Amino acid sequence: MANEATEKVHVLIIGSGPAGYTAAIYAARANMKPVLYQGIQPGGQLTITTEVENYPGYPDGIQGPEMMVHFEKQAARMGADIRYGLATKVDFSQHPYKVQIDEEKWIEADAVIICTGASAKWLGLPSEERLNGFGVSACAVCDGFFFKGKEVAIVGAGDTAAEEALYLSKLCTTVHMFIRRDKMRASKVMQERVLNAPNIKVYWNTDTDEILGENKVEAVRIKNNQTQETQTIPISGFFVAIGHHPNSDIFKGWLDMDETGYLLTTPGTTKTNIEGVFAAGDVQDKNYRQAVTAAGSGCMAALDAERYLTTKGLV
Ligand SMILES: Cc1cc2nc3c(=O)[nH]c(=O)nc-3n(C[C@H](O)[C@H](O)[C@H](O)COP(=O)(O)OP(=O)(O)OC[C@H]3O[C@@H](n4cnc5c(N)ncnc54)[C@H](O)[C@@H]3O)c2cc1C
């Protein structure tokens, strides 16, 4: 496979969310001539949301897709080579590292910056898809503010769901929390906090049947999976907190990752276990998962790559 490589680049960036484009801006300005592959979701996760109000520099807020066009334009203006294409396989056995694009072409790179993000898991209801960005969200920290003083619902039973329910409970009048089983997966301390919050109402053995509303969320119909009884609750926002899937499958066997697939980096850096391979953004961050933190670590990755290439005498 190594013989099939058709192109040699200095710095290869995989992914076009806030982390990837920020890495591209910094790498291009440092004359590292980065080549960036966008993947199947050019612009990343923010292209599936509406208003972004918490990214600094936009006092009036901005639509997610528009913001990501700004990121792309800035990276292109600095000279980043931005391309359509999906990284389908890697071979990190020797330097320069090899990354296959679209199952065809191989790229050889002196340094690789992985910014492939993480995808939120969804329930799979058609109404959830239809109302996504119009009251349905997978991020309480991002979108909770839009429902200040209103009633919302959240689905999930793990620590993240508990954390997000507590976050929402500080903004919203009532948080209806739907849990599929008769217990939560969250740690004991988080469960206690949820159960003691006066405005979080927990529904056990409960499935979401349908999210109701024409152009925005107006209610949710739930079903008790023991009694089959249904109930409709008026709400303005519906949050899905059933987990994320880091887009790291192609790095399995090469890079260290935790049990859920998040890439592991040396704390305080973007270095992976392979020298010259860096990871930034949500693919290595299950904690913060924000555009600004992803962008920040994209910057770190470009600086780490620049130092690595300088030390190796490759720039
Ligand atoms: C509905 C929603 C609303 C949100 N709202 C906000 C908000 O208001 N404020 C905020 O700060 N954050 C928000 N977030 C979170 C924010 O979107 C993420 O934290 C951020 O986008 C992470 O950036 P990233 O660059 O790490 O990855 P992502 O944005 O996930 O981008 C990953 C990129 O990698 C590419 N990719 C994946 N696999 C491959 C591959 N094999 N080859 C090539 N490319 C690949 C994808 O195509 C994509 O371009 C929201 C998230 C969601 C889902």
Side-chain angles (χ1 to χ4, degrees):
M1 95 181 95
N3 298 333
E4 296 167 21
T6 57
E7 190 183 355
K8 169 79 198 306
V9 306
H10 237 4
V11 174
L12 178 67
I13 301 171
I14 311 174
S16 57
Y21 282 140
T22 306
I25 291 165
Y26 275 77
R29 294 189 80 247
N31 206 21
M32 291 194 285
K33 301 182 180 59
V35 170
L36 179 151
Y37 278 92
Q38 292 181 313
I40 49 167
Q41 192 178 46
Q45 291 175 62
L46 285 180
T47 58
I48 59 157
T49 193
T50 47
E51 187 99 28
V52 177
E53 284 196 335
N54 55 8
Y55 198 86
Y58 293 102
D60 303 319
I62 182 159
Q63 295 291 305
E66 194 186 346
M67 183 168 127
M68 292 320 298
V69 170
H70 293 174
F71 269 69
E72 180 179 348
K73 277 189 181 162
Q74 191 172 352
R77 189 170 79 83
M78 295 305 151
D81 181 347
I82 299 166
R83 305 175 180 178
Y84 290 115
L86 185 73
T88 39
K89 207 190 261 183
V90 300
D91 178 357
F92 292 157
S93 59
Q94 57 184 7
H95 194 268
Y97 302 121
K98 294 164 195 72
V99 177
Q100 188 196 46
I101 304 297
D102 293 334
E103 294 182 340
E104 296 175 341
K105 171 179 176 164
W106 284 88
I107 303 266
E108 285 188 344
D110 289 327
V112 178
I113 301 179
I114 299 165
C115 304
T116 47
S119 313
K121 291 182 187 162
W122 300 96
L123 298 172
L125 299 169
S127 54
E128 172 192 55
E129 199 179 322
R130 183 171 53 81
L131 293 166
N132 199 333
F134 299 93
V136 171
S137 170
C139 179
V141 175
C142 312
D143 296 328
F145 184 77
F146 297 120
F147 305 100
K148 201 171 171 187
K150 298 187 174 159
E151 280 193 42
V152 296
I154 185 164
V155 178
D159 273 325
T160 304
E163 215 168 82
E164 301 223 330
L166 288 162
Y167 183 90
L168 291 168
S169 72
K170 293 178 193 122
L171 295 166
C172 306
T173 51
T174 307
V175 179
H176 303 274
M177 186 169 193
F178 309 140
I179 293 172
R180 289 198 77 185
R181 298 195 293 152
D182 59 356
K183 51 178 176 282
M184 289 178 82
R185 274 186 297 106
S187 60
K188 204 155 182 287
V189 58
M190 291 303 284
Q191 290 191 38
E192 273 166 17
R193 282 189 201 150
V194 164
L195 297 172
N196 290 331
N199 60 341
I200 300 181
K201 195 170 169 199
V202 175
Y203 300 68
W204 305 105
N205 298 312
T206 297
D207 293 330
T208 304
D209 225 19
E210 210 62 75
I211 305 157
L212 308 170
E214 203 49 49
N215 301 314
K216 61 180 172 61
V217 171
E218 284 165 7
V220 59
R221 191 174 64 236
I222 52 171
K223 182 157 84 180
N224 184 300
N225 54 38
Q226 303 293 302
T227 63
Q228 308 303 318
E229 247 175 68
T230 61
Q231 188 181 344
T232 299
I233 305 169
I235 49 161
S236 305
F238 183 85
F239 290 85
V240 182
I242 56 173
H244 284 79
H245 178 73
N247 301 315
S248 63
D249 291 355
I250 58 168
F251 308 110
K252 272 189 188 137
W254 296 106
L255 299 182
D256 291 345
M257 44 185 84
D258 73 5
E259 65 291 349
T260 41
Y262 282 95
L263 297 183
L264 299 178
T265 51
T266 306
T269 77
T270 59
K271 294 175 187 171
T272 67
N273 56 301
I274 293 186
E275 202 192 21
V277 177
F278 306 90
D282 283 14
V283 73
Q284 53 82 58
D285 173 18
K286 61 174 166 194
N287 232 337
Y288 300 107
R289 288 195 293 246
Q290 293 296 291
V292 70
T293 48
S297 70
C299 156
M300 288 167 64
L303 295 179
D304 286 342
E306 200 265 332
R307 281 172 200 152
Y308 165 76
L309 294 175
T310 304
T311 312
K312 289 271 167 197
L314 293 166
V315 278

